Every structure is written in C-alpha cells, then in structure tokens.
Amino acid sequence: EVQLVESGGGLVQPGGSLRLSCGASGFSFSAYSMNWVRQAPGKGLEWVSYISTTRSTIYYAGSVKGRFTISRDNAKNSLYLQMNSLRAEDTAVYFCARDSGYCSSTRCVEGSGNFDYWGQGTLVTVSS
Amino acid sequence: QSALTQPASVSGSPGQSITISCTGTSSDVGSYNLVSWYQQHPGRAPKLMIYEVTKRPSGVSNRFSGSRSGNTASLTISGLQAEDEADYYCCSYVGSSTFVVFGGGTKLTVL
C-alpha cells in the first residue's frame, strides 16, 4: 500500500524557518518525481514545488521561489521542504504528492501534474 | 499564471448528473492532455479522480468522467450519491518551470 506521511509542521514566527519531511513507503520512491502542494485555511490547493527522481529538475511556485528549497533522499525514501523567511501567507496545510508521470505513444516523462497519491498533510502556522 | 476558473458551487439531487467546468487558456488546458481532477472531503487529503483529461484511476467509480472542449475541461458525475458531496479541483500542466496550475475549487452539494 502506498503511504506518504508528512511531519515537521508547527507554529513559527514570521521570518523563521521550518523543515518539512515526507516519508514514503509501499512503492519504489526513487522511481517517481514528487511535489509539495499547500492549502491555506478555507482556501484552495496551491502547487508549491516539484523535484524529479534524480533531483536534476526542480521547480518552484513564484510565491516561494528563493525562500523554499525542495530536496529528496532516495536512500531514505524521503522528501523534504526547507522553508525560510516564512510569512503569514505561508500558513497552510502542506501535502506531499506523488507524480505518476506521463507516457505518450513515443516517450515517457516524469513530471505530469497527475498527483496520484497524497499524504495527510502537516499544518504550518506562521504567526507572532 | 492565473488559476483555472471553476464555479464556486454546484448542486444536484441524488441520482441526478452534474457537470463542473474548468476554464483555462490555450497555454494550459487547451495545450496539454494533462488535466486532472481531485475530490477533497473536509479535513482529508485530495484524491485523484480523473487524469489525462478522461482517464479514471483504478478504484474510482465509473460515475465520474472527464472531457474537454477547447480551453475548458469538465468533470461529470452521474447518479449523484450523498458521498459525492465534497470540494472538487481541476489542475492542468502548463509546461516546465510554472509546471501546474489549480482551479479555485467547486463545492458540490448533494441536496
């Protein structure tokens, strides 16, 4: 059974830092690209960041670029999100999500935006 | 990249069919066969319901179907059931760097 379990959320002051983790099990973690998606209280989903299987391709949403860093350790089946210079507007539940990839008739690509498995989320609250 | 446009709410009675629209542009929904739909019940993680515009993951009821016309994708739920009451989000690939964009979400109420 595929499982994604986030941890590391909590209360942090504006300007502070936090590191989120996502532990994966039930599948070959190194074979899938991964994402972080967040949801502010009462709001919709917002994609945050993407990392490919070998870490060669990384993307960030404009709202977090330069402040957040995504990483992964395939040996530990773990995904991370280092969040610095946190702002009140970063307050949200943060989900890790597996990207299923995409295959056309001629080739397969890793990043597709098809998020086939999600963790339960971890709440980050930025407040003084 | 702006969010995709979804109606804030839709409703239907048990047994009826409803359709949720998701309007983008020729740079996202209209360009790639990578539109997905997610169901989210309160306090729960999102669940993939439709991917690559029309495909259903294993285990998802065939009452859920996806389609696209031009820059607008749609999710249709037939034979509405009480457990379908949830928030629904569309999502489209938009190319490298920007990667994906979500819709604002639609709250489905089963009357």
Coordinates of all heavy atoms in Angstrom, one line a residue, chain B residues 19-104:
Chain B
T19 N -22.3 18.6 -13.9 CA -21.0 18.9 -14.6 C -20.3 20.1 -14.0 O -21.0 21.1 -13.8 CB -21.3 19.1 -16.1 OG1 -21.8 17.9 -16.6 CG2 -20.0 19.4 -16.8
I20 N -19.0 20.0 -13.7 CA -18.2 21.1 -13.2 C -17.3 21.5 -14.3 O -16.5 20.6 -14.8 CB -17.5 20.6 -11.9 CG1 -18.4 20.2 -10.8 CG2 -16.6 21.8 -11.5 CD1 -17.7 19.6 -9.6
S21 N -17.3 22.7 -14.6 CA -16.4 23.2 -15.7 C -15.1 23.8 -15.1 O -15.0 24.2 -13.9 CB -17.1 24.3 -16.5 OG -17.4 25.4 -15.7
C22 N -14.1 23.8 -15.9 CA -12.8 24.3 -15.6 C -12.2 25.0 -16.8 O -11.8 24.3 -17.8 CB -11.9 23.1 -15.2 SG -10.1 23.4 -14.9
T23 N -12.2 26.3 -16.7 CA -11.8 27.1 -17.9 C -10.4 27.6 -17.8 O -10.1 28.3 -16.8 CB -12.8 28.2 -18.2 OG1 -14.1 27.7 -18.4 CG2 -12.4 29.0 -19.4
G24 N -9.6 27.4 -18.8 CA -8.2 27.8 -18.8 C -7.9 28.6 -20.0 O -8.8 29.4 -20.5
T25 N -6.8 28.4 -20.6 CA -6.4 29.1 -21.8 C -5.7 28.2 -22.8 O -5.5 27.0 -22.5 CB -5.4 30.3 -21.5 OG1 -4.1 29.7 -21.1 CG2 -5.9 31.2 -20.4
S26 N -5.3 28.7 -23.9 CA -4.6 27.9 -24.9 C -3.2 27.5 -24.5 O -2.5 26.7 -25.1 CB -4.6 28.6 -26.3 OG -3.9 29.8 -26.1
S27 N -2.8 28.1 -23.3 CA -1.5 27.8 -22.8 C -1.5 26.7 -21.8 O -0.4 26.2 -21.3 CB -0.8 29.1 -22.2 OG -0.7 30.1 -23.2
D28 N -2.7 26.3 -21.3 CA -2.7 25.3 -20.3 C -3.7 24.2 -20.7 O -3.3 23.2 -21.4 CB -3.0 25.8 -18.9 CG -4.0 27.0 -18.9 OD1 -5.2 26.7 -19.3 OD2 -3.7 28.1 -18.5
V29 N -5.0 24.3 -20.3 CA -6.0 23.3 -20.6 C -6.1 23.0 -22.1 O -6.2 21.8 -22.4 CB -7.4 23.8 -20.1 CG1 -8.5 22.8 -20.5 CG2 -7.4 23.9 -18.6
G30 N -6.0 24.0 -22.9 CA -6.1 23.8 -24.3 C -4.9 23.2 -25.0 O -4.9 22.8 -26.2
S31 N -3.7 23.1 -24.3 CA -2.5 22.7 -24.9 C -2.0 21.3 -24.6 O -1.3 20.7 -25.4 CB -1.4 23.7 -24.5 OG -1.3 24.8 -25.3
Y32 N -2.4 20.8 -23.4 CA -1.8 19.6 -23.0 C -2.9 18.6 -22.6 O -4.0 19.0 -22.0 CB -0.9 19.8 -21.7 CG 0.2 20.8 -22.0 CD1 0.1 22.1 -21.6 CD2 1.4 20.4 -22.6 CE1 1.1 23.0 -21.8 CE2 2.4 21.3 -22.7 CZ 2.3 22.6 -22.4 OH 3.3 23.5 -22.6
N33 N -2.7 17.3 -22.8 CA -3.6 16.3 -22.4 C -3.3 15.9 -20.9 O -3.3 14.7 -20.6 CB -3.5 15.0 -23.3 CG -4.0 15.3 -24.7 OD1 -4.9 16.1 -24.9 ND2 -3.3 14.7 -25.7
L34 N -3.1 16.9 -20.1 CA -2.7 16.7 -18.7 C -3.5 17.5 -17.8 O -3.0 18.3 -17.1 CB -1.2 17.0 -18.6 CG -0.2 16.1 -19.3 CD1 1.2 16.6 -19.2 CD2 -0.3 14.7 -18.7
V35 N -4.8 17.3 -17.9 CA -5.8 17.9 -17.0 C -6.2 16.8 -16.0 O -6.6 15.7 -16.4 CB -7.0 18.4 -17.7 CG1 -8.0 19.0 -16.7 CG2 -6.6 19.5 -18.7
S36 N -6.2 17.1 -14.7 CA -6.6 16.2 -13.7 C -7.7 16.8 -12.8 O -7.8 18.0 -12.7 CB -5.4 15.7 -12.9 OG -4.7 16.8 -12.4
W37 N -8.4 15.9 -12.1 CA -9.5 16.4 -11.2 C -9.3 15.7 -9.9 O -9.0 14.5 -9.8 CB -10.9 16.0 -11.7 CG -11.3 16.8 -12.9 CD1 -11.1 16.6 -14.2 CD2 -12.0 18.1 -12.9 NE1 -11.6 17.5 -15.0 CE2 -12.2 18.5 -14.2 CE3 -12.6 18.8 -11.9 CZ2 -12.9 19.6 -14.6 CZ3 -13.2 20.0 -12.2 CH2 -13.4 20.4 -13.5
Y38 N -9.5 16.4 -8.8 CA -9.3 15.9 -7.4 C -10.6 16.2 -6.6 O -11.2 17.2 -6.7 CB -8.1 16.6 -6.8 CG -6.9 16.3 -7.5 CD1 -6.5 17.2 -8.6 CD2 -6.1 15.2 -7.3 CE1 -5.4 17.0 -9.3 CE2 -4.9 15.0 -8.1 CZ -4.6 15.9 -9.1 OH -3.5 15.6 -9.9
Q39 N -10.9 15.2 -5.8 CA -12.0 15.3 -4.8 C -11.4 15.4 -3.4 O -10.5 14.7 -3.1 CB -12.8 14.0 -4.9 CG -14.0 13.9 -3.9 CD -14.5 12.5 -3.8 OE1 -13.8 11.5 -3.4 NE2 -15.8 12.3 -4.2
Q40 N -12.0 16.3 -2.7 CA -11.5 16.5 -1.3 C -12.7 16.7 -0.3 O -13.4 17.6 -0.4 CB -10.6 17.8 -1.2 CG -9.9 17.9 0.2 CD -9.0 19.1 0.3 OE1 -9.3 20.2 -0.3 NE2 -7.9 19.0 1.0
H41 N -12.7 15.7 0.6 CA -13.7 15.9 1.7 C -13.1 16.7 2.8 O -11.9 16.7 2.9 CB -14.1 14.5 2.2 CG -15.0 13.7 1.2 ND1 -14.5 12.6 0.5 CD2 -16.3 13.9 0.9 CE1 -15.5 12.2 -0.3 NE2 -16.6 12.9 -0.1
P42 N -13.9 17.3 3.6 CA -13.4 18.2 4.7 C -12.4 17.5 5.6 O -12.7 16.4 6.0 CB -14.7 18.6 5.4 CG -15.8 18.5 4.4 CD -15.4 17.3 3.5
G43 N -11.3 18.1 5.8 CA -10.3 17.6 6.7 C -9.5 16.4 6.1 O -8.7 15.8 6.8
R44 N -9.7 16.1 4.8 CA -9.0 15.0 4.2 C -8.1 15.4 3.1 O -8.1 16.6 2.6 CB -10.0 14.0 3.6 CG -11.1 13.5 4.6 CD -10.4 12.6 5.7 NE -9.8 11.4 5.2 CZ -10.4 10.3 4.9 NH1 -11.7 10.2 5.2 NH2 -9.8 9.3 4.5
A45 N -7.2 14.5 2.7 CA -6.3 14.8 1.6 C -7.1 14.7 0.3 O -8.1 14.0 0.2 CB -5.1 13.8 1.6
P46 N -6.7 15.4 -0.7 CA -7.3 15.3 -2.1 C -7.1 13.9 -2.6 O -6.1 13.2 -2.3 CB -6.5 16.3 -2.9 CG -6.0 17.3 -1.9 CD -5.6 16.5 -0.7
K47 N -8.0 13.5 -3.5 CA -8.0 12.2 -4.1 C -8.1 12.4 -5.6 O -9.0 13.1 -6.1 CB -9.1 11.3 -3.6 CG -9.2 10.0 -4.3 CD -10.5 9.2 -3.8 CE -10.6 7.9 -4.6 NZ -11.9 7.2 -4.2
L48 N -7.2 11.7 -6.3 CA -7.2 11.8 -7.8 C -8.5 11.1 -8.3 O -8.6 9.9 -8.1 CB -6.0 11.2 -8.4 CG -5.8 11.2 -9.9 CD1 -5.8 12.6 -10.5 CD2 -4.6 10.4 -10.3
M49 N -9.3 11.7 -9.1 CA -10.5 11.2 -9.7 C -10.4 10.9 -11.2 O -10.9 10.0 -11.7 CB -11.7 12.0 -9.4 CG -11.9 12.3 -7.9 SD -12.1 10.8 -6.9 CE -13.7 10.3 -7.3
I50 N -9.7 11.9 -11.9 CA -9.6 11.9 -13.3 C -8.2 12.4 -13.6 O -7.7 13.3 -13.0 CB -10.6 12.7 -14.1 CG1 -12.0 12.2 -13.9 CG2 -10.3 12.8 -15.6 CD1 -12.4 10.9 -14.6
Y51 N -7.5 11.7 -14.6 CA -6.2 12.2 -15.0 C -6.1 12.1 -16.5 O -6.9 11.4 -17.2 CB -5.0 11.5 -14.4 CG -4.9 10.0 -14.8 CD1 -3.9 9.6 -15.7 CD2 -5.7 9.0 -14.3 CE1 -3.8 8.3 -16.1 CE2 -5.6 7.7 -14.6 CZ -4.6 7.3 -15.5 OH -4.5 6.0 -15.9
E52 N -5.2 12.9 -17.1 CA -5.0 13.0 -18.6 C -6.4 13.2 -19.2 O -6.7 12.5 -20.2 CB -4.3 11.7 -19.1 CG -2.9 11.7 -18.6 CD -2.1 10.4 -18.9 OE1 -2.5 9.7 -19.8 OE2 -1.1 10.1 -18.2
V53 N -7.1 14.1 -18.7 CA -8.4 14.6 -19.3 C -9.6 13.7 -19.1 O -10.6 14.0 -18.6 CB -8.3 15.0 -20.8 CG1 -9.7 15.6 -21.2 CG2 -7.2 16.0 -21.0
T54 N -9.4 12.4 -19.4 CA -10.5 11.5 -19.5 C -10.3 10.1 -18.7 O -11.2 9.4 -18.6 CB -10.9 11.1 -20.9 OG1 -9.7 10.4 -21.5 CG2 -11.2 12.3 -21.8
K55 N -9.1 9.9 -18.2 CA -8.8 8.6 -17.6 C -9.1 8.5 -16.2 O -9.0 9.5 -15.4 CB -7.3 8.3 -17.8 CG -6.9 8.2 -19.3 CD -5.4 7.9 -19.4 CE -5.0 7.8 -20.9 NZ -3.5 7.5 -21.0
R56 N -9.6 7.3 -15.8 CA -10.0 7.1 -14.4 C -9.1 6.2 -13.7 O -8.8 5.1 -14.2 CB -11.4 6.5 -14.3 CG -12.5 7.2 -13.6 CD -13.8 6.5 -13.6 NE -13.9 5.3 -14.3 CZ -14.5 5.3 -15.5 NH1 -14.9 6.4 -16.1 NH2 -14.5 4.1 -16.2
P57 N -8.5 6.6 -12.5 CA -7.6 5.6 -11.8 C -8.4 4.4 -11.4 O -9.6 4.4 -11.2 CB -7.2 6.4 -10.6 CG -7.4 7.9 -10.9 CD -8.6 7.8 -11.8
S58 N -7.7 3.3 -11.2 CA -8.3 2.1 -10.7 C -9.0 2.4 -9.3 O -8.4 3.1 -8.5 CB -7.2 1.0 -10.5 OG -7.7 -0.1 -9.9
G59 N -10.2 1.9 -9.2 CA -10.9 2.1 -7.9 C -11.9 3.3 -7.9 O -12.7 3.4 -7.0
V60 N -11.7 4.2 -8.9 CA -12.7 5.3 -9.0 C -13.9 4.9 -9.7 O -13.8 4.3 -10.8 CB -12.0 6.5 -9.6 CG1 -13.0 7.6 -9.9 CG2 -10.9 7.0 -8.8
S61 N -15.1 5.2 -9.2 CA -16.3 4.8 -9.8 C -16.5 5.3 -11.2 O -16.0 6.4 -11.6 CB -17.5 5.4 -9.0 OG -18.7 5.2 -9.6
N62 N -17.1 4.5 -12.1 CA -17.3 4.9 -13.5 C -18.4 6.0 -13.6 O -18.8 6.4 -14.7 CB -17.6 3.7 -14.4 CG -18.8 2.9 -14.0 OD1 -19.5 3.4 -13.1 ND2 -19.0 1.8 -14.6
R63 N -19.0 6.4 -12.4 CA -19.9 7.5 -12.4 C -19.2 8.9 -12.7 O -19.8 9.9 -13.0 CB -20.7 7.6 -11.1 CG -21.5 6.4 -10.8 CD -22.3 6.5 -9.5 NE -21.5 6.7 -8.4 CZ -21.4 7.9 -7.7 NH1 -22.0 9.0 -8.2 NH2 -20.6 8.0 -6.7
F64 N -17.9 8.8 -12.5 CA -17.0 10.0 -12.7 C -16.4 9.9 -14.1 O -15.8 8.9 -14.5 CB -15.9 10.1 -11.7 CG -16.4 10.4 -10.3 CD1 -16.9 9.4 -9.5 CD2 -16.5 11.7 -9.8 CE1 -17.4 9.6 -8.2 CE2 -16.9 11.9 -8.5 CZ -17.4 10.9 -7.7
S65 N -16.6 11.0 -14.9 CA -16.0 11.1 -16.2 C -15.5 12.5 -16.5 O -15.9 13.5 -16.0 CB -17.0 10.7 -17.3 OG -18.1 11.5 -17.3
G66 N -14.4 12.5 -17.4 CA -13.8 13.8 -17.7 C -13.9 14.0 -19.2 O -13.9 13.1 -20.0
S67 N -13.9 15.3 -19.6 CA -13.9 15.6 -21.0 C -13.3 17.0 -21.2 O -12.9 17.7 -20.2 CB -15.3 15.6 -21.6 OG -16.1 16.6 -21.0
R68 N -13.1 17.4 -22.4 CA -12.5 18.7 -22.7 C -13.0 19.2 -24.1 O -13.2 18.4 -25.0 CB -11.0 18.7 -22.8 CG -10.3 20.0 -23.1 CD -8.8 19.9 -23.1 NE -8.4 19.0 -24.1 CZ -7.2 18.5 -24.3 NH1 -6.2 19.0 -23.4 NH2 -6.8 17.7 -25.2
S69 N -13.3 20.5 -24.1 CA -13.7 21.2 -25.4 C -12.9 22.5 -25.4 O -13.2 23.4 -24.6 CB -15.2 21.4 -25.5 OG -15.5 22.1 -26.6
G70 N -12.0 22.6 -26.3 CA -11.1 23.8 -26.4 C -10.4 24.0 -25.1 O -9.6 23.2 -24.7
N71 N -10.5 25.2 -24.5 CA -9.8 25.5 -23.3 C -10.6 25.2 -22.0 O -10.2 25.7 -21.0 CB -9.5 27.0 -23.4 CG -8.6 27.4 -24.5 OD1 -7.8 26.6 -25.0 ND2 -8.7 28.6 -25.0
T72 N -11.7 24.5 -22.2 CA -12.5 24.2 -21.0 C -12.6 22.7 -20.8 O -13.0 21.9 -21.7 CB -13.9 24.7 -21.1 OG1 -13.8 26.2 -21.2 CG2 -14.8 24.4 -19.9
A73 N -12.2 22.2 -19.6 CA -12.3 20.8 -19.2 C -13.5 20.7 -18.3 O -14.0 21.7 -17.7 CB -11.1 20.4 -18.5
S74 N -14.1 19.5 -18.3 CA -15.3 19.3 -17.5 C -15.2 18.0 -16.8 O -14.7 17.0 -17.3 CB -16.6 19.3 -18.4 OG -16.7 20.6 -19.0
L75 N -15.8 18.0 -15.6 CA -16.0 16.7 -14.8 C -17.5 16.5 -14.6 O -18.2 17.4 -14.2 CB -15.3 16.9 -13.4 CG -15.6 15.8 -12.4 CD1 -14.8 14.5 -12.8 CD2 -15.2 16.2 -11.0
T76 N -17.9 15.3 -15.0 CA -19.3 15.0 -14.9 C -19.4 13.8 -13.9 O -18.7 12.8 -14.0 CB -19.9 14.5 -16.3 OG1 -19.8 15.7 -17.2 CG2 -21.4 14.1 -16.1
I77 N -20.4 14.0 -13.0 CA -20.7 12.9 -12.0 C -22.1 12.5 -12.3 O -23.1 13.4 -12.2 CB -20.5 13.4 -10.6 CG1 -19.2 14.1 -10.4 CG2 -20.7 12.3 -9.6 CD1 -19.0 14.7 -9.0
S78 N -22.3 11.3 -12.6 CA -23.7 10.8 -12.9 C -24.2 10.0 -11.7 O -23.4 9.5 -10.9 CB -23.7 9.9 -14.1 OG -22.8 8.8 -14.0
G79 N -25.5 9.8 -11.6 CA -26.1 9.1 -10.5 C -25.6 9.6 -9.1 O -25.1 8.8 -8.3
L80 N -25.7 10.9 -8.9 CA -25.2 11.5 -7.7 C -25.5 10.7 -6.4 O -26.7 10.3 -6.2 CB -25.7 12.9 -7.5 CG -24.9 14.1 -8.1 CD1 -25.6 15.4 -7.9 CD2 -23.5 14.1 -7.6
Q81 N -24.5 10.6 -5.5 CA -24.7 10.0 -4.2 C -24.3 10.9 -3.1 O -23.5 11.8 -3.4 CB -23.9 8.7 -4.2 CG -24.3 7.7 -5.2 CD -23.5 6.4 -5.2 OE1 -22.7 6.2 -4.3 NE2 -23.8 5.4 -6.1
A82 N -24.8 10.7 -2.0 CA -24.5 11.6 -0.8 C -23.0 11.7 -0.6 O -22.5 12.8 -0.3 CB -25.2 11.1 0.4
E83 N -22.3 10.6 -0.8 CA -20.8 10.7 -0.5 C -20.1 11.4 -1.6 O -18.9 11.7 -1.4 CB -20.3 9.2 -0.4 CG -20.5 8.4 -1.6 CD -21.6 7.4 -1.5 OE1 -22.6 7.8 -0.9 OE2 -21.5 6.3 -2.0
D84 N -20.7 11.9 -2.6 CA -20.0 12.7 -3.6 C -19.9 14.1 -3.2 O -19.2 14.9 -3.8 CB -20.8 12.7 -5.0 CG -20.9 11.3 -5.6 OD1 -20.0 10.4 -5.3 OD2 -21.9 11.0 -6.3
E85 N -20.7 14.5 -2.1 CA -20.6 15.9 -1.6 C -19.2 16.1 -1.1 O -18.7 15.5 -0.2 CB -21.6 16.1 -0.5 CG -21.7 17.5 0.0 CD -22.9 17.8 0.8 OE1 -24.0 17.8 0.2 OE2 -22.8 18.0 2.0
A86 N -18.5 17.1 -1.7 CA -17.1 17.4 -1.5 C -16.7 18.6 -2.3 O -17.5 19.1 -3.1 CB -16.2 16.2 -1.9
D87 N -15.4 19.0 -2.1 CA -14.8 20.0 -3.0 C -14.1 19.3 -4.1 O -13.5 18.3 -3.9 CB -13.9 20.9 -2.2 CG -14.6 21.7 -1.1 OD1 -15.7 22.2 -1.4 OD2 -14.0 21.9 -0.1
Y88 N -14.2 19.9 -5.3 CA -13.5 19.4 -6.5 C -12.6 20.4 -7.1 O -13.0 21.6 -7.3 CB -14.6 18.9 -7.5 CG -15.3 17.7 -7.0 CD1 -16.4 17.8 -6.2 CD2 -14.9 16.4 -7.3 CE1 -17.1 16.7 -5.7 CE2 -15.6 15.3 -6.9 CZ -16.7 15.4 -6.1 OH -17.4 14.3 -5.6
Y89 N -11.4 20.0 -7.4 CA -10.4 20.9 -8.0 C -9.9 20.3 -9.3 O -9.6 19.1 -9.5 CB -9.2 21.0 -7.1 CG -9.5 21.7 -5.8 CD1 -9.9 20.9 -4.6 CD2 -9.4 23.1 -5.6 CE1 -10.1 21.5 -3.4 CE2 -9.7 23.7 -4.4 CZ -10.0 22.9 -3.3 OH -10.3 23.5 -2.1
C90 N -9.8 21.2 -10.3 CA -9.1 20.8 -11.6 C -7.7 21.3 -11.5 O -7.3 22.1 -10.7 CB -9.8 21.3 -12.8 SG -9.9 23.1 -12.9
C91 N -6.9 20.7 -12.4 CA -5.4 21.0 -12.4 C -4.9 20.8 -13.8 O -5.3 19.8 -14.4 CB -4.7 20.1 -11.4 SG -2.9 20.4 -11.3
S92 N -4.1 21.7 -14.3 CA -3.5 21.5 -15.6 C -2.0 21.7 -15.6 O -1.5 22.6 -15.0 CB -4.2 22.5 -16.6 OG -3.6 22.4 -17.9
Y93 N -1.3 20.8 -16.4 CA 0.1 21.1 -16.6 C 0.2 22.3 -17.5 O -0.7 22.5 -18.4 CB 0.6 19.9 -17.4 CG 2.1 19.9 -17.7 CD1 3.1 19.7 -16.8 CD2 2.5 20.2 -19.1 CE1 4.4 19.8 -17.1 CE2 3.8 20.3 -19.4 CZ 4.8 20.1 -18.4 OH 6.1 20.1 -18.8
V94 N 1.2 23.1 -17.3 CA 1.4 24.4 -18.0 C 2.8 24.5 -18.6 O 3.1 25.5 -19.1 CB 1.0 25.6 -17.2 CG1 -0.4 25.6 -16.8 CG2 1.9 25.8 -16.0
G95 N 3.5 23.4 -18.6 CA 4.9 23.5 -19.1 C 5.9 23.6 -18.0 O 5.6 23.7 -16.8
S96 N 7.2 23.4 -18.4 CA 8.3 23.4 -17.4 C 8.3 24.8 -16.7 O 7.8 25.8 -17.2 CB 9.6 23.2 -18.1 OG 9.9 24.1 -19.1
S97 N 8.9 24.8 -15.6 CA 9.1 25.9 -14.7 C 7.8 26.3 -13.9 O 7.8 26.2 -12.7 CB 9.6 27.1 -15.4 OG 9.9 28.2 -14.5
T98 N 6.8 26.7 -14.6 CA 5.5 27.0 -14.0 C 4.8 25.7 -13.6 O 4.1 25.7 -12.6 CB 4.6 27.9 -14.9 OG1 5.3 29.0 -15.4 CG2 3.3 28.3 -14.1
F99 N 5.0 24.7 -14.3 CA 4.6 23.3 -14.0 C 3.1 23.1 -14.1 O 2.6 22.5 -15.0 CB 5.2 22.8 -12.7 CG 5.1 21.3 -12.6 CD1 5.6 20.5 -13.6 CD2 4.6 20.7 -11.5 CE1 5.5 19.1 -13.5 CE2 4.5 19.3 -11.3 CZ 4.9 18.5 -12.4
V100 N 2.4 23.4 -13.0 CA 0.9 23.2 -13.0 C 0.2 24.3 -12.3 O 0.8 25.1 -11.6 CB 0.6 21.9 -12.2 CG1 1.2 20.7 -12.8 CG2 0.9 22.0 -10.7
V101 N -1.1 24.4 -12.7 CA -2.0 25.4 -12.0 C -3.3 24.7 -11.6 O -3.8 23.9 -12.4 CB -2.2 26.6 -13.0 CG1 -2.9 26.2 -14.3 CG2 -3.0 27.7 -12.3
F102 N -3.8 25.1 -10.5 CA -5.0 24.5 -10.0 C -6.2 25.5 -10.3 O -6.0 26.7 -10.4 CB -5.0 24.3 -8.5 CG -4.3 23.0 -8.1 CD1 -3.0 23.0 -7.7 CD2 -4.9 21.8 -8.1 CE1 -2.3 21.9 -7.3 CE2 -4.3 20.6 -7.7 CZ -3.0 20.7 -7.3
G103 N -7.4 24.9 -10.3 CA -8.6 25.7 -10.3 C -8.9 26.2 -8.9 O -8.3 25.6 -7.9
G104 N -9.8 27.1 -8.7 CA -10.1 27.6 -7.4 C -11.0 26.7 -6.6 O -11.1 26.9 -5.4

